[in-house]
Amino acid sequence: MHRSLVTLVIFALLGIGCSAAHEPRDVATGIYDLRVRGEVDACSPSRATGEMGLVGIVAGSGVVNVGVPDVTSLAMSRVSLAATAGFHTEAITAIEGCEGASVRRAWTLLETTSSGFGLAMTEEWTGLAGCAAARDRMPAAPESDCHAERVLEYRLMEMCEAPCSVRVSAGVVSCTCD
């Protein structure tokens, strides 16, 4: 009986550990320094990597709202990762002027710590053959169909604790306490 109880406790603790590892309990609302690391890149030109600058992150109630590089423009965009979806989201964007061409993007929350977190980002470009309009409308569009995987590494620079919030004004990220 004692052995069964020990086994049950071990399995319960393993379950808690697994749950905690997938919960963004360590992701804080604040300002993060973003660095992008390439993992797999079959695209030409290659996908952007390196230092991307400061981004604002908002976390709470089982959702992490993340600033990510946007392949469809030169600006950053935002994606929301919810616990109910396993902290994963996907988007398919049609490429204007290129019938049947699109880019499928997916983001998945990776490890989280009190000093930052990682996000896996995948891009799958299809239907680009013979479509020069893609690069006219999207400066980062590759020359042909391809697949790329990157890891977005967010390092916490400044936590924005309530009642403060993250604000972006004229491209500058700050913690504002009204």
Side-chain angles (χ1 to χ4, degrees), residues 1-11:
M1 183 76 164
H2 178 67
R3 186 177 200 158
S4 298
L5 182 57
V6 170
T7 303
L8 181 61
V9 169
I10 289 171
F11 281 120

Side-chain angles (χ1 to χ4, degrees), residues 58 63-67 78-83 85 87-90 107:
V58 178
V63 176
V64 179
N65 193 336
V66 183
R78 301 202 70 70
V79 296
S80 291
L81 305 163
F87 297 102
H88 173 86
T89 192
E90 297 184 16
W107 301 269

Side-chain angles (χ1 to χ4, degrees):
M1 183 76 164
H2 178 67
R3 186 177 200 158
S4 298
L5 182 57
V6 170
T7 303
L8 181 61
V9 169
I10 289 171
F11 281 120
L13 288 173
L14 288 172
I16 291 169
C18 182
S19 173
H22 293 95
E23 195 60 34
R25 59 183 167 74
D26 294 323
V27 176
T29 295
I31 301 171
Y32 288 76
D33 184 50
L34 172 58
R35 184 178 194 302
V36 178
R37 185 181 73 222
E39 296 288 306
V40 173
D41 194 346
C43 296
S44 178
S46 296
R47 308 294 78 204
T49 59
E51 297 296 327
M52 298 289 163
L54 299 177
V55 295
I57 305 296
V58 178
S61 301
V63 176
V64 179
N65 193 336
V66 183
V68 297
D70 189 346
V71 297
T72 63
S73 74
L74 296 175
M76 297 290 271
S77 66
R78 301 202 70 70
V79 296
S80 291
L81 305 163
T84 56
F87 297 102
H88 173 86
T89 192
E90 297 184 16
I92 297 174
T93 303
I95 300 173
E96 188 179 332
C98 298
E99 188 171 328
S102 65
V103 58
R104 180 189 159 276
R105 296 170 286 165
W107 301 269
T108 304
L109 187 66
L110 299 174
E111 70 285 348
T112 64
T113 68
S114 59
S115 62
F117 64 96
L119 192 69
M121 179 179 178
T122 303
E123 292 177 25
E124 189 74 38
W125 295 82
T126 57
L128 295 177
C131 184
R135 278 159 304 292
D136 293 339
R137 290 180 168 69
M138 295 180 185
E143 296 170 358
S144 62
D145 295 1
C146 64
H147 174 87
E149 297 173 15
R150 296 182 285 172
V151 174
L152 312 179
E153 300 168 336
Y154 296 86
R155 186 170 48 98
L156 182 62
M157 303 305 288
E158 181 182 351
M159 191 180 305
C160 297
E161 295 187 46
C164 302
S165 60
V166 174
R167 298 276 166 86
V168 179
S169 177
V172 176
V173 183
S174 63
C175 284
T176 304
C177 304
D178 295 330

